[in-house]
Each structure stands twice: as structure tokens, then as C-alpha cells.
Amino acid sequence: MLSVKHLNIVHKKDLKTLLEDFNLVLNDGDKAVIIGEEGNGKSTLLQWIFEPDLILGYCEASGERILANQKPGYLPQELPHSDGKKSLYEYFSEEPLFWEHTPKELGQLAGKFSLAADFFYSDQLMETLSGGEKVKAQLLRILLAKPDILLLDEPSNDIDLETLVWLERFILEWNRIVLFISHDETLIEHTANVVVHLEQLRHKTVCRYTAARMPYEQYRRERLSQFQNQARMAANDRREKKLREEKYARIYQSVAHAQASISRQCPAKARLLKKKMHAVKSMERRFERENQSMTQMPEEESALFFKLGSEASILPAGKTVVDYSLEKLYTPDGERVLAENIRLHMRGAQKLCIVGTNGAGKTTLLHKIADCLLARTDLHVQYMPQNYEELLKPSMTPVDFLDASGDKEKRTKIRTCLGALKYTTEEMDHTISELSGGQKAKIFLLKMSLSDADVLILDEPTRNFSPLSGPVIRQLLKDFPGAIISISHDRKFIREVCDKVCLLTKDGLVEQ
């Protein structure tokens, strides 16, 4: 059992309350997902559950954590830099229980992860592994320690479709507790039976959480239905309030007018009107009590609402967007050939997704295509790299990045747009290095929205958006009137947005 009681977490820098009186109980067999927008405290909560001292540098926390003699294992969102420089053998040998397993047992364990039998003893550096291999290596070391609870922070990031399916199976077959964070809606829908939803309302001044024992899709449907019903009840209450106020105003004005015009020679009528006015005042107090019990309009952390593209983004159907060929695709260091005989041709407003296994060279290829298209004068191209720091300067603010002119009117518009993307006034003036991955992704989306781009080149565009924002982002990209060239492992993005999918193999691009 895992139990969290009366947990409060406050961010030290801006004194924002991330969690207030948070309570959660999980038992064996529970597969709980933590969802919420960026900056809502998902990773902070996971770290506190694993080891409360991990967040002391930037948060103050109070509350009780009960593990009932169970041992947690924690997968961080990114491989620690210090571990990246270690060989696989060095990395695994640091786990004391590694030495209690025979090479045969380790080989069998590696086989269950679809890895080579000698994986544990390899001299390959951790930082050179593909995204999927890094996740598997970290999970293997966690399992060697024999944990009872798995705490996984974004295990679905940077892994290919084949590894995603493997990860789903791994989570489902784990018979103890799994508490994980993910932006992959398909993974969540296939695995989670408990949903923990963290929200920041009223311009991030009020926090709220929901813990629901149900699959994600059911939670999403019931939440929407509940909000719609509450909104209808609130609207009815407001209509009745307006009718009450109109009724009161009519009666009050009638009695007040009668009192003002009555002759002093009619004391009996004056006393009667005075009683009527008392009754009117009593009615007012009754109406005030009814107003206090009115149904409140539902509060929710609204999704993103803005538009990508304009009339200038519309491409003629016969316009050649890409006519690209490459005999050999090398690794960035030029030492190894990744693929050969690459050919890609696109016309008009097609939406292409390039898929392939981790390490196949998808990002390397997309970077080369981006270099070619950005140099063209007949296209307006915007590029969103997988590593945002390729284009974002960590020391700049979002406003500075989006506008270098210093024009007051333009900057006011940018601030308004950032506000629509749920940036607080303080966050607009934070340096980019202080922002979360989702906030950085929003900067690129806004840059695309403010431009007249007719071609978008996107490397994993949905990877940092919450499951609740995901449908909005996909619809924006689907409705974009220009062309899109993308890389993604997001199965919903591929299915809903893309009309062409190519698999990158050693022998080139193969249309699926």
C-alpha cells in the first residue's frame, strides 16, 4: 500500500501552492496516472513520494507518506548527466543486488526486455543509447533492486512505437503499484485504472486535485458530463435570480411610490404600506439567501485556444513542397551510415509523419530537410526541433524571443497571446531556462501562429502537452492549411493528423 495524507507543497520562488491537503491511497494492482498541465507539480509530487528531500531545494512540503514497508523504485524524466558518462556495466554494477544474479539470470531478464543477452556487461556508454534503450536500462536497474512500487516520470518520452507497445505490456503485467506521468493518451487509455488530476485555476492562484478510480476515457467523459450539467444548472439558477430581482424591483418600486404619495390624513393606509415594505424587505433577505445557494459555474483549467495559419498559409495542390534525395544518411559524427537511397516528394498541403525505430536517424534526416526548406524563398517555413535549445536561447524571455524589435504594440499582443496560453505575468518575464518543456513548446506554437508559415517542420510536436491539451493541439495541426513534415510516436497524432506516413529504414523511406 502507498498512502499520502494531507500533503501541502508550496514553490519557494513564487510562493505558488502546488498541492493543498492532497490525499491518495494506492494498492497492489493499481496503475495510477498523474495528469495535468505543465508546471502543476506532477514531477514534484512523484519525487516527494520517492524521497521527500529531493524537492527541498525549490519547494516546502508538509504531509505524511506511508509506504507500509514497501520499497519504491523511481524512473526520472531524464537520465542524470552523471549516469550518461557510465558504461552499461558500470551503471548496473552500482546496484548492490546486481551481484546476486548469475549471468544466465541477467541474460534471461534482458531477453524479456527484447535486449541482447550481454546487455548488462556492455562497454557502451549510457548516453549513446537510443531513447527506448535508456528507458529499458533504467527500468532494468530499478527491477534489480526488487521494488514494490514503480514511480515512472514520462517513461513514454523519446521511445519508438514498438517500445511503447512493450511499455504498455510491462505496466499491465506489473502486479504491484505503478504511479506514472505520461502525455501519451494511448498509453494512458490502455493501462491506467486510477486517474490523479492536478489543476491550477484562476490564473494559477488556486490549486485543485481529483483522484478517480476509473479508466482515463471514463474519467474524461464523466468529467465533461459533470461540467456540462453543472453549467446548465448554474445558468438556470442565474435566470431565476434575474426573475427574482425583477420581481423584487417591481414590488419595491410600487410600495415605495405609494408611500411617497400617500396623504398624511390617511394613517391607516400608511401603517398598511409600512407593513408591506417590511414584507418586501423580508422578501429581499429570502432572495439573498437563495442567491448564496446558487450552483456555481464549473471551474476548469481551460485548454489552449488559438489558430495556426492564415490565408497566406494555403498552398496550391500542385505546389512542390519537398523534392529531396540523399544517397547516404550518416550519424551526426559522420562515422556510421544510418540509411541509404532516401527519396521524398510532397505536393500541396500534405501532412507527413516519418516513423521508425529509435536510432534510425529520423531527427538527423528531418534536420537536413529543414535546412533545405528554410533556405527556400518561395516557402515560409517554421521549424520546431526536438531539442528546443537548438533555437531557444536559455537567457532570453519568451517575449524577447518572439519579438526582437522592441515594438510596444507588438509586445502587448505577444503578452496577450501568452496569457491565452496560460502563462502568468511572472512567467512571461522568466528566462527560457526556467520554463518547463510544455511552456517551451508553446513558444514555438505561438511563433508559428504569429507567422504566415505555409510549411511546418515538427519533431515530436505533442510530446510535452498534457492529455487534456493533446486533442486541441491535434485539431490545430489538422486544420492548418499548409503542409506539415513531422516525426512522432504519438499514435493519436499519426492517426488523426497525418495523411501520409513513411517508415525510415536502412534502405530509405518506405510509405506505409
mmCIF file with all atom_site columns, all heavy atoms in Angstrom, residues 52-69:
data_model
loop_
_atom_site.group_PDB
_atom_site.id
_atom_site.type_symbol
_atom_site.label_atom_id
_atom_site.label_alt_id
_atom_site.label_comp_id
_atom_site.label_asym_id
_atom_site.label_entity_id
_atom_site.label_seq_id
_atom_site.pdbx_PDB_ins_code
_atom_site.Cartn_x
_atom_site.Cartn_y
_atom_site.Cartn_z
_atom_site.occupancy
_atom_site.B_iso_or_equiv
_atom_site.pdbx_formal_charge
_atom_site.auth_seq_id
_atom_site.auth_comp_id
_atom_site.auth_asym_id
_atom_site.auth_atom_id
_atom_site.pdbx_PDB_model_num
ATOM 1   N N   . PRO A 1 52 ? 11.195 12.538 -0.054 1.00 0.00 ? 52 PRO A N   1
ATOM 2   C CA  . PRO A 1 52 ? 10.784 13.924 0.204  1.00 0.00 ? 52 PRO A CA  1
ATOM 3   C C   . PRO A 1 52 ? 11.912 14.943 0.113  1.00 0.00 ? 52 PRO A C   1
ATOM 4   O O   . PRO A 1 52 ? 11.680 16.091 -0.286 1.00 0.00 ? 52 PRO A O   1
ATOM 5   C CB  . PRO A 1 52 ? 10.196 13.853 1.614  1.00 0.00 ? 52 PRO A CB  1
ATOM 6   C CG  . PRO A 1 52 ? 9.673  12.448 1.722  1.00 0.00 ? 52 PRO A CG  1
ATOM 7   C CD  . PRO A 1 52 ? 10.664 11.611 0.968  1.00 0.00 ? 52 PRO A CD  1
ATOM 8   N N   . ASP A 1 53 ? 13.138 14.562 0.449  1.00 0.00 ? 53 ASP A N   1
ATOM 9   C CA  . ASP A 1 53 ? 14.245 15.518 0.442  1.00 0.00 ? 53 ASP A CA  1
ATOM 10  C C   . ASP A 1 53 ? 14.616 15.987 -0.968 1.00 0.00 ? 53 ASP A C   1
ATOM 11  O O   . ASP A 1 53 ? 15.302 17.007 -1.121 1.00 0.00 ? 53 ASP A O   1
ATOM 12  C CB  . ASP A 1 53 ? 15.484 14.904 1.103  1.00 0.00 ? 53 ASP A CB  1
ATOM 13  C CG  . ASP A 1 53 ? 15.319 14.769 2.618  1.00 0.00 ? 53 ASP A CG  1
ATOM 14  O OD1 . ASP A 1 53 ? 14.348 15.340 3.160  1.00 0.00 ? 53 ASP A OD1 1
ATOM 15  O OD2 . ASP A 1 53 ? 16.148 14.093 3.252  1.00 0.00 ? 53 ASP A OD2 1
ATOM 16  N N   . LEU A 1 54 ? 14.169 15.261 -2.000 1.00 0.00 ? 54 LEU A N   1
ATOM 17  C CA  . LEU A 1 54 ? 14.533 15.613 -3.369 1.00 0.00 ? 54 LEU A CA  1
ATOM 18  C C   . LEU A 1 54 ? 14.003 16.980 -3.789 1.00 0.00 ? 54 LEU A C   1
ATOM 19  O O   . LEU A 1 54 ? 14.562 17.626 -4.668 1.00 0.00 ? 54 LEU A O   1
ATOM 20  C CB  . LEU A 1 54 ? 14.005 14.552 -4.355 1.00 0.00 ? 54 LEU A CB  1
ATOM 21  C CG  . LEU A 1 54 ? 14.732 13.205 -4.390 1.00 0.00 ? 54 LEU A CG  1
ATOM 22  C CD1 . LEU A 1 54 ? 14.057 12.273 -5.389 1.00 0.00 ? 54 LEU A CD1 1
ATOM 23  C CD2 . LEU A 1 54 ? 16.195 13.388 -4.773 1.00 0.00 ? 54 LEU A CD2 1
ATOM 24  N N   . ILE A 1 55 ? 12.924 17.445 -3.170 1.00 0.00 ? 55 ILE A N   1
ATOM 25  C CA  . ILE A 1 55 ? 12.310 18.709 -3.613 1.00 0.00 ? 55 ILE A CA  1
ATOM 26  C C   . ILE A 1 55 ? 12.620 19.867 -2.670 1.00 0.00 ? 55 ILE A C   1
ATOM 27  O O   . ILE A 1 55 ? 12.142 20.989 -2.891 1.00 0.00 ? 55 ILE A O   1
ATOM 28  C CB  . ILE A 1 55 ? 10.779 18.561 -3.769 1.00 0.00 ? 55 ILE A CB  1
ATOM 29  C CG1 . ILE A 1 55 ? 10.103 18.394 -2.397 1.00 0.00 ? 55 ILE A CG1 1
ATOM 30  C CG2 . ILE A 1 55 ? 10.437 17.395 -4.674 1.00 0.00 ? 55 ILE A CG2 1
ATOM 31  C CD1 . ILE A 1 55 ? 8.583  18.505 -2.456 1.00 0.00 ? 55 ILE A CD1 1
ATOM 32  N N   . LEU A 1 56 ? 13.415 19.638 -1.648 1.00 0.00 ? 56 LEU A N   1
ATOM 33  C CA  . LEU A 1 56 ? 13.655 20.681 -0.645 1.00 0.00 ? 56 LEU A CA  1
ATOM 34  C C   . LEU A 1 56 ? 14.370 21.895 -1.217 1.00 0.00 ? 56 LEU A C   1
ATOM 35  O O   . LEU A 1 56 ? 14.256 23.000 -0.684 1.00 0.00 ? 56 LEU A O   1
ATOM 36  C CB  . LEU A 1 56 ? 14.461 20.110 0.525  1.00 0.00 ? 56 LEU A CB  1
ATOM 37  C CG  . LEU A 1 56 ? 13.717 19.099 1.416  1.00 0.00 ? 56 LEU A CG  1
ATOM 38  C CD1 . LEU A 1 56 ? 14.605 18.645 2.568  1.00 0.00 ? 56 LEU A CD1 1
ATOM 39  C CD2 . LEU A 1 56 ? 12.416 19.683 1.946  1.00 0.00 ? 56 LEU A CD2 1
ATOM 40  N N   . GLY A 1 57 ? 15.102 21.718 -2.310 1.00 0.00 ? 57 GLY A N   1
ATOM 41  C CA  . GLY A 1 57 ? 15.829 22.845 -2.879 1.00 0.00 ? 57 GLY A CA  1
ATOM 42  C C   . GLY A 1 57 ? 14.935 23.916 -3.470 1.00 0.00 ? 57 GLY A C   1
ATOM 43  O O   . GLY A 1 57 ? 15.330 25.082 -3.545 1.00 0.00 ? 57 GLY A O   1
ATOM 44  N N   . TYR A 1 58 ? 13.722 23.541 -3.882 1.00 0.00 ? 58 TYR A N   1
ATOM 45  C CA  . TYR A 1 58 ? 12.858 24.528 -4.541 1.00 0.00 ? 58 TYR A CA  1
ATOM 46  C C   . TYR A 1 58 ? 11.422 24.549 -4.001 1.00 0.00 ? 58 TYR A C   1
ATOM 47  O O   . TYR A 1 58 ? 10.627 25.394 -4.396 1.00 0.00 ? 58 TYR A O   1
ATOM 48  C CB  . TYR A 1 58 ? 12.824 24.288 -6.054 1.00 0.00 ? 58 TYR A CB  1
ATOM 49  C CG  . TYR A 1 58 ? 12.253 22.952 -6.476 1.00 0.00 ? 58 TYR A CG  1
ATOM 50  C CD1 . TYR A 1 58 ? 10.924 22.851 -6.884 1.00 0.00 ? 58 TYR A CD1 1
ATOM 51  C CD2 . TYR A 1 58 ? 13.035 21.802 -6.494 1.00 0.00 ? 58 TYR A CD2 1
ATOM 52  C CE1 . TYR A 1 58 ? 10.391 21.633 -7.286 1.00 0.00 ? 58 TYR A CE1 1
ATOM 53  C CE2 . TYR A 1 58 ? 12.518 20.582 -6.899 1.00 0.00 ? 58 TYR A CE2 1
ATOM 54  C CZ  . TYR A 1 58 ? 11.196 20.503 -7.291 1.00 0.00 ? 58 TYR A CZ  1
ATOM 55  O OH  . TYR A 1 58 ? 10.682 19.292 -7.681 1.00 0.00 ? 58 TYR A OH  1
ATOM 56  N N   . CYS A 1 59 ? 11.089 23.630 -3.092 1.00 0.00 ? 59 CYS A N   1
ATOM 57  C CA  . CYS A 1 59 ? 9.722  23.589 -2.547 1.00 0.00 ? 59 CYS A CA  1
ATOM 58  C C   . CYS A 1 59 ? 9.738  23.344 -1.046 1.00 0.00 ? 59 CYS A C   1
ATOM 59  O O   . CYS A 1 59 ? 10.678 22.743 -0.501 1.00 0.00 ? 59 CYS A O   1
ATOM 60  C CB  . CYS A 1 59 ? 8.902  22.474 -3.210 1.00 0.00 ? 59 CYS A CB  1
ATOM 61  S SG  . CYS A 1 59 ? 8.317  22.873 -4.862 1.00 0.00 ? 59 CYS A SG  1
ATOM 62  N N   . GLU A 1 60 ? 8.699  23.824 -0.383 1.00 0.00 ? 60 GLU A N   1
ATOM 63  C CA  . GLU A 1 60 ? 8.444  23.482 1.008  1.00 0.00 ? 60 GLU A CA  1
ATOM 64  C C   . GLU A 1 60 ? 7.272  22.511 1.035  1.00 0.00 ? 60 GLU A C   1
ATOM 65  O O   . GLU A 1 60 ? 6.267  22.720 0.338  1.00 0.00 ? 60 GLU A O   1
ATOM 66  C CB  . GLU A 1 60 ? 8.112  24.736 1.817  1.00 0.00 ? 60 GLU A CB  1
ATOM 67  C CG  . GLU A 1 60 ? 9.294  25.693 1.964  1.00 0.00 ? 60 GLU A CG  1
ATOM 68  C CD  . GLU A 1 60 ? 8.929  26.918 2.787  1.00 0.00 ? 60 GLU A CD  1
ATOM 69  O OE1 . GLU A 1 60 ? 7.724  27.066 3.116  1.00 0.00 ? 60 GLU A OE1 1
ATOM 70  O OE2 . GLU A 1 60 ? 9.834  27.718 3.086  1.00 0.00 ? 60 GLU A OE2 1
ATOM 71  N N   . ALA A 1 61 ? 7.404  21.449 1.823  1.00 0.00 ? 61 ALA A N   1
ATOM 72  C CA  . ALA A 1 61 ? 6.365  20.428 1.839  1.00 0.00 ? 61 ALA A CA  1
ATOM 73  C C   . ALA A 1 61 ? 6.079  19.971 3.267  1.00 0.00 ? 61 ALA A C   1
ATOM 74  O O   . ALA A 1 61 ? 6.962  19.955 4.126  1.00 0.00 ? 61 ALA A O   1
ATOM 75  C CB  . ALA A 1 61 ? 6.785  19.225 0.993  1.00 0.00 ? 61 ALA A CB  1
ATOM 76  N N   . SER A 1 62 ? 4.821  19.626 3.517  1.00 0.00 ? 62 SER A N   1
ATOM 77  C CA  . SER A 1 62 ? 4.410  19.031 4.786  1.00 0.00 ? 62 SER A CA  1
ATOM 78  C C   . SER A 1 62 ? 3.348  17.988 4.480  1.00 0.00 ? 62 SER A C   1
ATOM 79  O O   . SER A 1 62 ? 2.539  18.150 3.571  1.00 0.00 ? 62 SER A O   1
ATOM 80  C CB  . SER A 1 62 ? 3.840  20.094 5.729  1.00 0.00 ? 62 SER A CB  1
ATOM 81  O OG  . SER A 1 62 ? 2.657  20.671 5.196  1.00 0.00 ? 62 SER A OG  1
ATOM 82  N N   . GLY A 1 63 ? 3.374  16.907 5.209  1.00 0.00 ? 63 GLY A N   1
ATOM 83  C CA  . GLY A 1 63 ? 2.416  15.836 4.976  1.00 0.00 ? 63 GLY A CA  1
ATOM 84  C C   . GLY A 1 63 ? 3.016  14.513 5.375  1.00 0.00 ? 63 GLY A C   1
ATOM 85  O O   . GLY A 1 63 ? 4.180  14.426 5.794  1.00 0.00 ? 63 GLY A O   1
ATOM 86  N N   . GLU A 1 64 ? 2.234  13.461 5.228  1.00 0.00 ? 64 GLU A N   1
ATOM 87  C CA  . GLU A 1 64 ? 2.662  12.136 5.670  1.00 0.00 ? 64 GLU A CA  1
ATOM 88  C C   . GLU A 1 64 ? 2.696  11.184 4.482  1.00 0.00 ? 64 GLU A C   1
ATOM 89  O O   . GLU A 1 64 ? 1.776  11.151 3.663  1.00 0.00 ? 64 GLU A O   1
ATOM 90  C CB  . GLU A 1 64 ? 1.690  11.612 6.733  1.00 0.00 ? 64 GLU A CB  1
ATOM 91  C CG  . GLU A 1 64 ? 2.129  10.326 7.385  1.00 0.00 ? 64 GLU A CG  1
ATOM 92  C CD  . GLU A 1 64 ? 1.182  9.881  8.497  1.00 0.00 ? 64 GLU A CD  1
ATOM 93  O OE1 . GLU A 1 64 ? 0.125  10.532 8.672  1.00 0.00 ? 64 GLU A OE1 1
ATOM 94  O OE2 . GLU A 1 64 ? 1.480  8.872  9.166  1.00 0.00 ? 64 GLU A OE2 1
ATOM 95  N N   . ARG A 1 65 ? 3.769  10.414 4.413  1.00 0.00 ? 65 ARG A N   1
ATOM 96  C CA  . ARG A 1 65 ? 3.928  9.408  3.366  1.00 0.00 ? 65 ARG A CA  1
ATOM 97  C C   . ARG A 1 65 ? 4.040  8.048  4.040  1.00 0.00 ? 65 ARG A C   1
ATOM 98  O O   . ARG A 1 65 ? 4.928  7.824  4.869  1.00 0.00 ? 65 ARG A O   1
ATOM 99  C CB  . ARG A 1 65 ? 5.181  9.711  2.551  1.00 0.00 ? 65 ARG A CB  1
ATOM 100 C CG  . ARG A 1 65 ? 5.491  8.700  1.462  1.00 0.00 ? 65 ARG A CG  1
ATOM 101 C CD  . ARG A 1 65 ? 6.882  8.921  0.890  1.00 0.00 ? 65 ARG A CD  1
ATOM 102 N NE  . ARG A 1 65 ? 7.926  8.674  1.877  1.00 0.00 ? 65 ARG A NE  1
ATOM 103 C CZ  . ARG A 1 65 ? 9.155  8.230  1.595  1.00 0.00 ? 65 ARG A CZ  1
ATOM 104 N NH1 . ARG A 1 65 ? 9.505  8.007  0.358  1.00 0.00 ? 65 ARG A NH1 1
ATOM 105 N NH2 . ARG A 1 65 ? 10.038 8.045  2.544  1.00 0.00 ? 65 ARG A NH2 1
ATOM 106 N N   . ILE A 1 66 ? 3.155  7.115  3.703  1.00 0.00 ? 66 ILE A N   1
ATOM 107 C CA  . ILE A 1 66 ? 3.144  5.782  4.309  1.00 0.00 ? 66 ILE A CA  1
ATOM 108 C C   . ILE A 1 66 ? 3.379  4.749  3.215  1.00 0.00 ? 66 ILE A C   1
ATOM 109 O O   . ILE A 1 66 ? 2.582  4.632  2.274  1.00 0.00 ? 66 ILE A O   1
ATOM 110 C CB  . ILE A 1 66 ? 1.806  5.503  5.023  1.00 0.00 ? 66 ILE A CB  1
ATOM 111 C CG1 . ILE A 1 66 ? 1.549  6.565  6.104  1.00 0.00 ? 66 ILE A CG1 1
ATOM 112 C CG2 . ILE A 1 66 ? 1.805  4.107  5.639  1.00 0.00 ? 66 ILE A CG2 1
ATOM 113 C CD1 . ILE A 1 66 ? 0.175  6.483  6.725  1.00 0.00 ? 66 ILE A CD1 1
ATOM 114 N N   . LEU A 1 67 ? 4.470  4.010  3.330  1.00 0.00 ? 67 LEU A N   1
ATOM 115 C CA  . LEU A 1 67 ? 4.809  3.008  2.325  1.00 0.00 ? 67 LEU A CA  1
ATOM 116 C C   . LEU A 1 67 ? 4.559  1.580  2.794  1.00 0.00 ? 67 LEU A C   1
ATOM 117 O O   . LEU A 1 67 ? 4.647  0.641  1.990  1.00 0.00 ? 67 LEU A O   1
ATOM 118 C CB  . LEU A 1 67 ? 6.287  3.144  1.922  1.00 0.00 ? 67 LEU A CB  1
ATOM 119 C CG  . LEU A 1 67 ? 6.689  4.472  1.273  1.00 0.00 ? 67 LEU A CG  1
ATOM 120 C CD1 . LEU A 1 67 ? 8.184  4.484  0.977  1.00 0.00 ? 67 LEU A CD1 1
ATOM 121 C CD2 . LEU A 1 67 ? 5.913  4.713  0.003  1.00 0.00 ? 67 LEU A CD2 1
ATOM 122 N N   . ALA A 1 68 ? 4.260  1.411  4.083  1.00 0.00 ? 68 ALA A N   1
ATOM 123 C CA  . ALA A 1 68 ? 3.952  0.082  4.631  1.00 0.00 ? 68 ALA A CA  1
ATOM 124 C C   . ALA A 1 68 ? 5.037  -0.937 4.304  1.00 0.00 ? 68 ALA A C   1
ATOM 125 O O   . ALA A 1 68 ? 4.768  -2.039 3.811  1.00 0.00 ? 68 ALA A O   1
ATOM 126 C CB  . ALA A 1 68 ? 2.594  -0.396 4.111  1.00 0.00 ? 68 ALA A CB  1
ATOM 127 N N   . ASN A 1 69 ? 6.292  -0.550 4.574  1.00 0.00 ? 69 ASN A N   1
ATOM 128 C CA  . ASN A 1 69 ? 7.449  -1.424 4.372  1.00 0.00 ? 69 ASN A CA  1
ATOM 129 C C   . ASN A 1 69 ? 7.659  -1.810 2.902  1.00 0.00 ? 69 ASN A C   1
ATOM 130 O O   . ASN A 1 69 ? 8.352  -2.782 2.610  1.00 0.00 ? 69 ASN A O   1
ATOM 131 C CB  . ASN A 1 69 ? 7.338  -2.696 5.218  1.00 0.00 ? 69 ASN A CB  1
ATOM 132 C CG  . ASN A 1 69 ? 7.388  -2.388 6.694  1.00 0.00 ? 69 ASN A CG  1
ATOM 133 O OD1 . ASN A 1 69 ? 8.153  -1.533 7.142  1.00 0.00 ? 69 ASN A OD1 1
ATOM 134 N ND2 . ASN A 1 69 ? 6.538  -3.062 7.465  1.00 0.00 ? 69 ASN A ND2 1
#
